[in-house]
Amino acid sequence: MKAIRISKTGGPEVLTLENIELPPPAAGGVRVRHSVIGVNFIDTYHRSGLYPLPLPSVLGVEAAGVVEMVGENVTTLKTGDRVGYCMVMGAYAEANNVAADRLVKLPVGISDEIAAASLSKGMTAQYLLKRTFPVQPGQTILLHSAAGGVGLIAGQWAKHLGVTVIGTVGSDDKIALARENGCTHVLNMRKDDWVKCVREITNGEGVPVVYDSTGKDTFAGSLDCLAMRGMMVSFGNSSGAVPPFEPGMLAAKGSLYLTRPGLPHYIRTARELQDTANDLFAVIASGVVKVVVNQRFKLADARAAHEALHSRSTTGATILIP
Ligand SMILES: NC(=O)c1ccc[n+]([C@@H]2O[C@H](COP(=O)([O-])OP(=O)(O)OC[C@H]3O[C@@H](n4cnc5c(N)ncnc54)[C@H](OP(=O)(O)O)[C@@H]3O)[C@@H](O)[C@H]2O)c1
């Protein structure tokens, strides 16, 4: 099968299309023939070496498709079932072998494209807003990269939960989209003094939570946006990893809390995975969350997809078609 594999870490140029053998699925696993592959910022961390992988590795963590072959001891899935997965390596390929308990069956009404564009990003929004810091109606929160893949889903979902969302974006042309997808206030973080703006919007109080996936460039400013005893949720590194810091800073800025969560720890068991996916599918089915796919590439053009992500020009989700 065709797959995008890396044998060394580096820039988008290390992504190479190769023909590789996929063995039959092991006991407990199935082979999924991909119809759509999700592109996530984490793929760039794997490619660059920020999150180390054994080499060579097929990149990608998310896809949707159909069960093509069933390994021994699998009772929950059969050939022909439509399924999706995320946080499983090997997705940038025509097919992948996946443990049956890491797959979710796709309900009628959730297309393969919607699943591949939303499982990782939408389940992240779910756990951030409902489990890491469960937002309460009436609160005002700060969400960085509000026009991105996670951002558009989290903005819509947060608004539905009764929250006023202050979103940041990296350019003026993303402002309208962020507004249409849940944000009441949108700040251009490359032009506005966004920390000052957040203080003004909250009458000097600050916000009870910041969802910060930008990392290095925003970490310090995000702490300055928090109300006393507020929660800093640092969940990504789009601008680079957050450098080491002195914990005393959390006391000095108002007895703040800091967490650095990761999706795999919130979908640890098959039950947690299914419950989280069900919650996401429900908000999509009811129209509360619209999944916006704004970039589509061929699998062979994965390099261009990564270049687009790095350019900060993408909005919503990006997918690859095998
Ligand atoms: N911890 C978890 O469980 C988890 C799960 C999923 C995703 N994430 C994180 O959530 C973030 C969003 O993921 P995504 O896949 O939906 O990506 P995305 O938001 O669609 O794309 C990343 C965005 O980051 C912003 N950005 C800020 N500084 C940047 C820089 N120096 N270079 C490039 N982009 C920069 C850009 O938006 P603006 O220019 O508009 O700011 C860009 O569009 C990523 O940081 C990802 O690692 C974490």
Side-chain angles (χ1 to χ4, degrees), residues 152-168:
L152 287 188
I153 297 177
Q156 296 174 75
W157 207 331
K159 184 178 180 187
H160 173 70
L161 293 171
V163 167
T164 299
V165 183
I166 307 172
T168 71

Side-chain angles (χ1 to χ4, degrees), residues 24 67 70 86 94 107 130 152 167 194 239-240 244 249 252 257 265 301 304-305 307 316:
V67 174
V70 178
C86 70
E94 291 175 317
K130 298 181 91 170
L152 287 188
W194 52 275
S239 67
M249 192 199 290
Y257 295 84
H265 306 137
D301 297 329
E307 284 165 348

Side-chain angles (χ1 to χ4, degrees), residues 41 45 124 127 145 148-150 170 174 213 235 238-239 261-263 312:
F41 218 85
Y45 310 149
T124 297
Y127 85 72
S145 292
V150 173
K174 296 182 182 177
S213 61
F235 72 101
S238 310
S239 67
L263 175 58
R312 297 180 75 161

Side-chain angles (χ1 to χ4, degrees), residues 1-13:
M1 64 166 188
K2 290 197 169 26
I4 298 284
R5 193 156 69 164
I6 57 167
S7 45
K8 60 178 181 187
T9 56
E13 71 284 352

